[in-house]
Structure formats: structure tokens, C-alpha cells
Amino acid sequence: MREKTLQETTVFQGRLIRVHVDDVELENGVQAKREIVDHPGGVSVAVLTPKNELLLVRQFRCPYKEELLELPAGKLEPGEDPFEAVKREQLEETGTTGKHYVSLGNVYPTPGYCGEIIRLWACRVDQDTGELSLDPDEFLHNLRIPLDEAVQMVLRNEIPDSKTQIGILKTAQLVAQNLLPLS
């Protein structure tokens, strides 16, 4: 299935996102409009300690007006390699470096109107400096939660963030299948 874009009109250009309205032609020849948010994409990582604890962050998320519990994550800088970005975000938000990185694939969090792609990884903690390097507008608290408990929190709907749910559940499967070694 395809839609043919006839015209694209930018209605907002911010420092992070661009919003445009596209006039499209559907497969049956009917014309329609699509409102689309362009986003540079992001990365996220499920960081596991030797005790199978996940390193999570709690931070306030303005769109929801509440604190969310999430895996460490961040946006991609222009031209940045996603794997380098995930290592950067991990160090900034957890003060750790990783080993045995495993790709968990890509997540399309809101495909109905946004082109954001979040690239997910899991890893084991290699070094833990404990020193965070947060952006000036970033405030968060770190937590260590046993992986089994994090899975139960997802199942009890206590973690609504989609990238975090997916990262936790996929990481739990990797650990259960011995695909994320301790050493």
C-alpha cells in the first residue's frame, strides 16, 4: 500500500520537531490530508547490573504532567550514530558504561502522525562511575529495580512508557534465554 504525496506544507519549525501537513493521493485516487511530526529519533538502553537489576530513571514529562519511570534514553543529534548516542546517553544518565550490547530493534512509538524511531539496546554494566552528566534542562532520579520486578510493573501497567515496556520485556527474554551474558 502506498500514498502519493502531492504537496507538503510546513506549519511549524521548532528546535526539535517540524510539523507539516501533506496533501496525499490514496490508492483509490481520493485525496486526503496528513498531519505529520518530524522528529530526529532517539535511543534507549536497558542497562543490567550483575544482580540483574535494571537501571531506570524517573523524570517529569511535560506532555503528561507527571513523573514517568523510564529506561535511560535521549534524542539523536544530527548525523549521530545511534550506537554512539546510546552509549553517550547511558553514561550521562546512569554514570555507567556497558559491555555485551545487544540490539533490541526499533520502536515506532506513534506511527499515526510522527516519524520518530527509537533504537533500543540492552547491555550489562561494565563500569560504574556514579557520576551523571545531565543536560542543563534535565532533572532525573536513578533507581535500580530487579528485572523480574520491572516485568511485573509492566504487567501491572505501572510503567506506561512504550520504549521502556518493550525494552524491559525483550531484555527479560534475552536473560531467560542466556543471550545477555554476565561476563
Side-chain angles (χ1 to χ4, degrees):
M1 293 184 278
R2 297 272 183 225
E3 294 181 358
K4 179 180 178 184
T5 301
L6 304 173
Q7 182 175 333
E8 182 177 298
T9 305
T10 299
V11 295
F12 174 78
Q13 179 67 56
R15 79 184 163 83
L16 175 63
I17 63 167
R18 177 177 81 102
V19 180
H20 53 96
V21 177
D22 291 3
D23 295 311
V24 300
E25 183 178 299
L26 308 177
E27 286 186 13
N28 62 2
V30 173
Q31 291 189 8
K33 291 195 180 288
R34 301 287 188 238
E35 297 172 353
I36 300 170
V37 176
D38 290 334
H39 185 283
V43 294
S44 184
V45 61
V47 182
L48 276 176
T49 70
K51 296 179 181 179
N52 279 342
E53 299 167 312
L54 273 175
L55 304 185
L56 296 169
V57 298
R58 182 177 297 284
Q59 60 186 326
F60 183 80
R61 291 301 195 176
C62 193
Y64 307 105
K65 306 294 188 231
E66 65 182 270
E67 287 184 0
L68 295 182
L69 191 59
E70 302 175 50
L71 293 174
K75 73 174 182 64
L76 285 168
E77 300 297 333
E80 186 175 24
D81 175 79
F83 185 59
E84 294 305 314
V86 83
K87 292 190 292 185
R88 172 182 52 79
E89 287 293 337
Q90 177 183 346
L91 182 60
E92 288 175 6
E93 294 189 1
T94 70
T96 67
T97 58
K99 62 182 177 179
H100 305 300
Y101 284 88
V102 176
S103 173
L104 301 178
N106 297 335
V107 174
Y108 295 8
T110 49
Y113 65 89
C114 184
E116 179 183 19
I117 299 172
I118 302 173
R119 286 106 176 144
L120 301 175
W121 277 270
C123 73
R124 290 287 182 178
V125 170
D126 186 32
Q127 293 183 353
D128 187 349
T129 68
E131 296 179 30
L132 307 185
S133 177
L134 303 176
D135 295 332
D137 63 346
E138 190 172 33
F139 302 92
L140 54 84
H141 300 282
N142 293 94
L143 293 95
R144 291 176 183 241
I145 296 178
L147 179 59
D148 290 342
E149 175 60 20
V151 168
Q152 291 306 309
M153 292 172 76
V154 169
L155 296 176
R156 292 190 304 258
N157 203 30
E158 295 171 11
I159 299 177
D161 177 60
S162 63
K163 72 180 178 310
T164 301
Q165 290 181 358
I166 292 165
I168 288 171
L169 296 176
K170 284 187 169 186
T171 299
Q173 282 299 303
L174 288 176
V175 169
Q177 297 172 29
N178 292 318
L179 297 175
L180 195 58
L182 282 170
S183 58

